[in-house]
Amino acid sequence: MNLGKENETTEFKETTSELRQALMDISAILNKHGKGLLYFGVKDWGDVCGMQVGKDTRKTITQEIRAHIKPLCMFEIKELVTDDKTFIEVTFSGDNPPYSAYDRYYLRFDEQSPIMEREQLNAYFMSLNNDYSKWEDDDSFESIDVVDNTFIENYVKRGNAINRIPFKYTTKENALVQMHLIHKSGNLNNAGNVLFSSKKPVTVKFAVFAGTNRNTFIDMKVFHGNIFECIEESMIYIKSHMNYGVKFDGSIRRTDVPEIPLTAIREIVVNAFAHGLYKSNTDFEICFFSNRLTIYSPGHFPKPFKPEEFADGSLESIPFNPKIVDVLFGDETIEKYATGFGRTFDSLKENDVAYDYTDTGNGFRFTFYRGSGSVNDGVNLTSGEQKVLELLKKNPNATIKILSQDLNISIRTIQRILASLKEKDVIIRKGSDKTGYWEVINR
């Protein structure tokens, strides 16, 4: 039996020994077309050659896809038989690009799946940005009646006072037209809805946990509102659960000093809502742990860039939601374009507060560490352990051989370091030794 030729949406592999390359092909096809087919037990030219399928074959494929395709895509694995030959069909799809395989990004060209280089990846992300910005213009199917007159009037007046909004308030319809927030249907577009609707279209979840994990919570709350309301409610919640110290300035007055600078926190909170993915399946989250504060936003940070590159001014702002960002800029909710990370990092450095951030696959999480600023919560690490830990944060799939080569340390020493990190509960091995990965414990 012949299945035809490989093309931009179909890939053939003879055996699951090519599983790693197969996932790269899945990433490439998802990024180009959003769905595709992959077969194991089929020659490059389409002839079904069959393969040995054991009791754990489908399980291994499932585990590998779940562990290494980020964000997780939809997929189905079938075992098929023809002419007494067994082969496997994997159908997959996803509408939340970009998709990575083993933390790298691929794009399909004919039957090839080359890795995207930095310039190409930048162009790809910009194209996604343009596609997503179209969502802002789509019909929300909400009438402008859901916009409160006083709310939007006060917004315009704030913008007038700082000379960022040139028009004066007359009616809410005129204000919405001026800001390009009305769809041709006469309804609010999506951007206008999440910004000004009184029907509470955005959800943010708050929680305070007793320890360093989610096992025991002290407080939990869910808030619904528009973007402006969610930003203010987030800051109220954070301020009410923050630890404060006392500072005396030489006079009889005392000053309460938050453990984490509130200006830095507000920058990250505003950034979360300004650049969030509002059609995502996950909600905004703000969580207190005993050793950290985390702020989670659905969506992705524009790869291959890092926040530090925006902070030092080497990159211009890349807004996923240009209309939302413009409106938040209008009343100085956002002070300046592409400067928030710079102010945040300067403030954290000045106050000796450690931080971290990660793309979770479904969103972007920023972490402020509480207390002394140590990200390891009192766990003493050697310099070698710290170096290995930093590499594992960047590449959870790193093998002992890769760690040895990158750090120029013997394999035996790497094995001892990994054993020590596991004993100190800093890392956990997920999956098998061959196909698993390292999970760094948030401490």
Side-chain angles (χ1 to χ4, degrees):
M1 180 178 180
N2 185 279
L3 299 182
K5 296 181 179 180
E6 289 182 324
N7 54 47
E8 288 214 339
T9 59
T10 304
E11 177 68 27
F12 302 142
K13 302 294 180 190
E14 290 191 32
T15 71
T16 51
S17 65
E18 301 175 89
L19 185 53
R20 186 180 180 90
Q21 180 60 50
L23 264 65
M24 298 175 188
D25 293 316
I26 290 175
S27 162
I29 293 171
L30 286 171
N31 286 331
K32 185 75 170 286
H33 298 284
K35 62 181 179 180
L37 287 167
L38 186 143
Y39 292 92
F40 292 102
V42 180
K43 298 282 189 181
D44 287 345
W45 52 90
D47 284 352
V48 176
C49 58
M51 58 172 284
Q52 184 71 35
V53 178
K55 64 176 183 178
D56 293 328
T57 301
R58 293 170 64 181
K59 180 180 178 181
T60 298
I61 298 172
T62 297
Q63 290 176 335
E64 195 75 358
I65 293 175
R66 286 179 173 171
H68 301 299
I69 295 291
K70 303 295 182 182
L72 185 62
C73 65
M74 300 292 291
F75 65 95
E76 183 179 7
I77 303 172
K78 294 181 180 179
E79 185 176 324
L80 306 177
V81 179
T82 181
D83 300 329
D84 295 326
K85 295 175 181 177
T86 302
F87 64 108
I88 288 177
E89 176 188 77
V90 182
T91 59
F92 52 89
S93 63
D95 58 1
N96 191 19
Y99 289 89
S100 66
Y102 305 98
D103 296 318
R104 295 195 172 188
Y105 295 85
Y106 302 84
L107 196 61
R108 192 71 166 178
F109 292 98
D110 295 325
E111 71 275 13
Q112 302 298 315
S113 302
I115 189 171
M116 283 193 270
E117 301 298 338
R118 183 183 177 91
E119 293 78 11
Q120 188 179 15
L121 188 55
N122 180 28
Y124 180 77
F125 267 82
M126 291 301 293
S127 70
L128 288 182
N129 177 33
N130 292 334
D131 288 342
Y132 181 56
S133 68
K134 295 176 184 177
W135 171 88
E136 291 187 300
D137 291 321
D138 288 343
D139 194 343
S140 72
F141 302 102
E142 293 288 355
S143 163
I144 66 171
D145 292 339
V146 303
V147 177
D148 180 78
N149 285 289
T150 302
F151 191 95
I152 196 168
E153 181 178 4
N154 288 338
Y155 164 80
V156 173
K157 288 180 177 179
R158 292 194 301 272
N160 293 155
I162 58 175
N163 296 317
R164 287 193 179 181
I165 296 180
F167 62 88
K168 299 296 182 181
Y169 183 83
T170 54
T171 66
K172 67 180 178 184
E173 182 173 10
N174 177 64
L176 292 166
V177 168
Q178 293 281 352
M179 293 182 284
H180 309 288
L181 298 179
I182 294 184
H183 187 261
K184 61 184 179 181
S185 66
N187 295 325
L188 291 172
N189 59 25
N190 283 325
N193 184 48
V194 295
L195 280 162
F196 290 111
S197 175
S198 60
K199 294 185 70 173
K200 307 181 184 304
V202 183
T203 300
V204 55
K205 298 176 180 178
F206 304 101
V208 179
F209 297 97
T212 60
N213 54 46
R214 294 174 178 260
N215 291 345
T216 305
F217 67 88
I218 299 172
D219 183 67
M220 196 165 287
K221 176 182 177 180
V222 178
F223 180 81
H224 305 281
N226 59 42
I227 287 178
F228 288 99
E229 292 167 336
C230 286
I231 289 172
E232 294 312 309
E233 186 65 23
S234 296
M235 292 307 299
I236 291 170
Y237 191 89
I238 289 170
K239 290 176 183 178
S240 66
H241 291 85
M242 185 81 71
N243 291 330
Y244 291 83
V246 178
K247 178 180 180 181
F248 292 95
D249 58 8
S251 67
I252 61 174
R253 295 182 178 179
R254 53 175 275 173
T255 302
D256 291 332
V257 180
E259 58 182 322
I260 303 168
L262 293 174
T263 53
I265 293 175
R266 185 175 179 84
E267 290 287 356
I268 299 302
V269 168
V270 171
N271 186 78
F273 288 99
H275 303 292
L277 190 69
Y278 288 91
K279 60 179 182 179
S280 172
N281 292 324
T282 60
D283 297 315
F284 296 86
E285 285 188 3
I286 293 177
C287 299
F288 277 95
F289 298 85
S290 62
N291 66 329
R292 67 192 188 280
L293 164 65
T294 63
I295 297 172
Y296 170 82
S297 174
H300 299 279
F301 195 83
K303 292 178 176 62
F305 309 116
K306 296 181 179 180
E308 286 82 0
E309 294 179 88
F310 293 93
D312 64 17
S314 60
L315 289 175
E316 299 296 326
S317 175
I318 305 177
F320 283 106
N321 308 303
K323 283 186 169 59
I324 292 173
V325 169
D326 282 345
V327 171
L328 294 178
F329 179 77
D331 75 338
E332 215 171 36
T333 299
I334 291 177
E335 290 190 19
K336 295 180 181 179
Y337 288 104
T339 61
F341 279 116
R343 289 191 296 273
T344 297
F345 296 153
D346 288 345
S347 179
L348 295 178
K349 183 178 180 180
E350 181 181 341
N351 290 272
D352 193 28
V353 174
Y355 67 89
D356 199 0
Y357 52 82
T358 184
D359 191 315
T360 67
N362 291 314
F364 181 76
R365 178 178 290 111
F366 196 96
T367 300
F368 299 94
Y369 289 98
R370 309 173 73 183
S372 64
S374 170
V375 300
N376 293 310
D377 196 28
V379 177
N380 293 319
L381 300 180
T382 67
S383 61
E385 289 171 342
Q386 291 173 342
K387 291 177 182 178
V388 169
L389 192 62
E390 288 305 311
L391 280 181
L392 292 180
K393 286 181 180 180
K394 296 176 182 177
N395 181 14
N397 303 302
T399 63
I400 291 176
K401 184 178 180 180
I402 289 174
L403 291 171
S404 174
Q405 292 172 344
D406 288 352
L407 296 174
N408 196 24
I409 297 174
S410 71
I411 287 178
R412 182 168 296 182
T413 300
I414 292 294
Q415 290 172 329
R416 286 199 297 266
I417 289 175
L418 291 173
S420 177
L421 290 173
K422 287 193 289 184
E423 186 176 341
K424 293 177 180 179
D425 293 327
V426 176
I427 60 173
I428 295 176
R429 182 69 180 177
K430 292 294 186 72
S432 69
D433 290 339
K434 185 176 181 180
T435 62
Y437 64 98
W438 295 101
E439 179 177 313
V440 177
I441 307 301
N442 287 323
R443 303 183 64 87

